[in-house]
Amino acid sequence: MTEISIYQFVKEKLIIHGVENTPDGQLTLTDLKLFSLFVDLERAARESSFDAVQSASSNIEKYLSSLEKRQLIAFVYMYFRFSNFTPSRILLDEHLEDGGVRKCNEFKRQISDEEALIGLWASVKYHQVGERLLGVVYSRS
């Protein structure tokens, strides 16, 4: 079995997240500079480096701002929000006798603390602004 290239992997992942469904979203695949920035984002994810992911995300946001397409940053948050870096299942809270609460998350694979941080950051950003920005992307189609 042959492994697909990072470029094909990024393209497929962006397509799964719906970039082909709108003219704005299609820009992530047709603008070579923007696509290369998403490839850099994937490289940062493969390093499992929160700082590298933040840097790559910032580079994407700066470029999108220069294109006046900042709303496409929602795809950055989706890129990790719906990934192995976030729980595949969240179990019910367990209330402990001492008043504490145990929260348990199940992941598809073993993840590092850095990967969990990336997933948590993406989830917060997606719920904070990503969903709204995605609405802007779809309202322009």
Side-chain angles (χ1 to χ4, degrees):
M1 184 165 87
T2 60
E3 198 173 309
I4 64 171
S5 74
I6 190 170
Y7 304 100
Q8 188 63 34
F9 179 84
V10 170
K11 180 181 179 182
E12 288 175 10
K13 192 166 182 176
L14 288 169
I15 289 170
I16 287 169
H17 292 311
V19 299
E20 289 187 315
N21 298 338
T22 70
D24 275 359
Q26 289 175 8
L27 191 63
T28 61
L29 300 175
T30 59
D31 183 302
L32 295 180
K33 170 76 172 163
L34 182 55
F35 184 76
S36 72
L37 291 170
F38 271 94
V39 171
D40 291 344
L41 184 69
E42 176 60 27
R43 285 188 177 111
R46 289 179 182 191
E47 291 175 19
S48 301
S49 169
F50 181 73
D51 291 337
V53 165
Q54 291 291 287
S55 178
S57 298
S58 177
N59 291 339
I60 292 172
E61 188 164 16
K62 287 175 193 169
Y63 185 68
L64 289 173
S65 292
S66 76
L67 299 177
E68 297 183 359
K69 298 287 186 185
R70 187 177 176 280
Q71 67 273 16
L72 295 178
I73 196 72
F75 290 112
V76 170
Y77 306 141
M78 285 179 69
Y79 199 87
F80 295 113
R81 168 63 185 95
F82 302 104
S83 73
N84 288 338
F85 293 175
T86 56
S88 60
R89 192 167 84 163
I90 300 172
L91 304 177
L92 291 175
D93 293 347
E94 181 182 341
H95 296 275
L96 306 174
E97 290 181 15
D98 66 358
V101 177
R102 178 177 293 133
K103 296 188 174 278
C104 295
N105 297 315
E106 289 184 3
F107 294 85
K108 290 183 180 178
R109 64 171 178 80
Q110 181 71 32
I111 64 168
S112 69
D113 291 343
E114 289 264 328
E115 291 170 328
L117 181 59
I118 293 166
L120 181 59
W121 166 79
S123 293
V124 168
K125 294 298 283 185
Y126 181 74
H127 292 299
Q128 191 178 54
V129 295
E131 290 173 327
R132 181 178 49 80
L133 292 174
L134 206 53
V136 172
V137 171
Y138 284 102
S139 72
R140 292 184 176 193
S141 61

